[in-house]
Amino acid sequence: MAESDAVKSFRDAIEAALRGGFVAVDFPDGSKPLLERALRQRIGLVTSTDLAMKNAEEARANTLSARHGVNSFPHHSDFAFRPFPPRLIILINETQQSYETPTNVTRIIDLPKKMQDIHARSQWHLRVRGMAFVVGGMTAVGKHLIHRWDTDFLEPENGEAWACLQIIKKLVPRVESPHKWKPKSALLIDNWNCTHSRGYAKGGGENRELVRLEAWHHAGVDH
């Protein structure tokens, strides 16, 4: 496939994720710079993080790995503690291995409407580097809405947030879509409208390694 065709194919995948919440694609060798180019064209700044399963003792402080180790992760939005989290999260398996440990994705719109309304009115307490803030479960930016979910690091501030902990936290896994990792593949996730989690590995003890790309939206530009 020509380089321009590959970039266009990734642009199509980005649009599909923005419309539908998430999309899986093949990721042959040499794809990363082409996907990054497509993301910069459509969204903005792109950053990258290597993800590996670590014991709690080995993990950095204040991370999901430090809290959950190699066990499953709860549903969350990546960078929920930022005023504006990344627009898209892309998880990539660059290896020739298949992984038993799935990534599960839940679209907020698949929750019951009443639960969506409760989440939209929820307020959460956030502590970052000695400072404290209150953030909404839903935040408007341009014509779009950011749905924020992270019950590990955001503490409930109002009754709706407590209801989220008691009710919505149990509902989110019930409407999730599991993604099973095949070799040389990627999963694009709309981080403003979906949550994702790390599922259970059937055999346990799997050393799953992924790369995460974070696509941050252009300030002041509507996407």
Side-chain angles (χ1 to χ4, degrees):
M1 182 184 296
E3 184 173 303
S4 59
D5 291 337
V7 173
K8 181 182 182 302
S9 178
F10 282 133
R11 282 289 299 265
D12 291 342
I14 291 168
E15 297 304 326
L18 293 174
R19 288 193 305 271
F22 59 95
V23 65
V25 297
D26 293 332
F27 205 76
D29 289 336
S31 293
K32 188 177 177 184
L34 304 178
L35 175 56
E36 289 176 334
R37 184 187 308 174
L39 289 167
R40 286 193 296 269
Q41 291 173 355
R42 180 62 175 90
I43 306 295
L45 174 70
V46 179
T47 55
S48 178
T49 307
D50 292 331
L51 303 176
M53 298 179 73
K54 296 181 179 180
N55 293 320
E57 296 77 14
E58 302 171 330
R60 290 186 297 108
N62 297 319
T63 63
L64 287 172
S65 290
R67 294 198 175 205
H68 302 284
V70 297
N71 299 315
S72 62
F73 284 178
H75 274 271
H76 61 282
S77 309
D78 274 346
F79 295 90
F81 55 88
R82 293 286 187 91
F84 299 104
R87 183 69 174 92
L88 284 179
I89 291 292
I90 300 88
L91 301 176
I92 305 168
N93 176 15
E94 294 184 312
T95 76
Q96 294 287 359
Q97 301 180 61
S98 297
Y99 291 129
E100 290 289 335
T101 307
T103 295
N104 304 312
V105 184
T106 292
R107 304 188 307 171
I108 297 297
I109 61 171
D110 289 334
L111 294 172
K113 182 62 168 61
K114 182 179 180 180
M115 297 298 100
Q116 294 181 49
D117 293 341
I118 290 174
H119 176 253
R121 297 194 303 271
S122 66
Q123 297 288 322
W124 302 84
H125 198 71
L126 169 63
R127 292 185 177 87
V128 180
R129 297 173 183 173
M131 298 181 289
F133 306 89
V134 174
V135 294
M138 185 178 75
T139 306
V141 54
K143 294 186 299 182
H144 299 282
L145 300 173
I146 299 174
H147 297 94
R148 192 185 309 267
W149 184 260
D150 188 338
T151 56
D152 271 82
F153 297 102
L154 301 182
E155 300 176 0
E157 180 71 14
N158 63 0
E160 285 81 0
W162 282 108
C164 286
L165 283 183
Q166 300 299 318
I167 304 172
I168 298 180
K169 188 175 180 179
K170 298 177 182 178
L171 290 177
V172 168
R174 296 180 186 176
V175 293
E176 68 188 13
S177 297
H179 172 76
K180 297 182 178 180
W181 284 101
K182 64 180 184 178
K184 300 292 182 180
S185 62
L187 179 64
L188 288 73
I189 302 172
D190 180 351
N191 194 50
W192 285 5
N193 292 292
C194 296
T195 67
H196 65 280
S197 71
R198 187 171 77 191
Y200 290 99
K202 293 180 181 178
E206 184 174 54
N207 185 26
R208 191 183 76 168
E209 295 183 358
L210 302 175
V211 174
R212 182 182 66 195
L213 298 182
E214 306 99 14
W216 307 81
H217 74 100
H218 291 297
V221 178
D222 209 358
H223 290 289

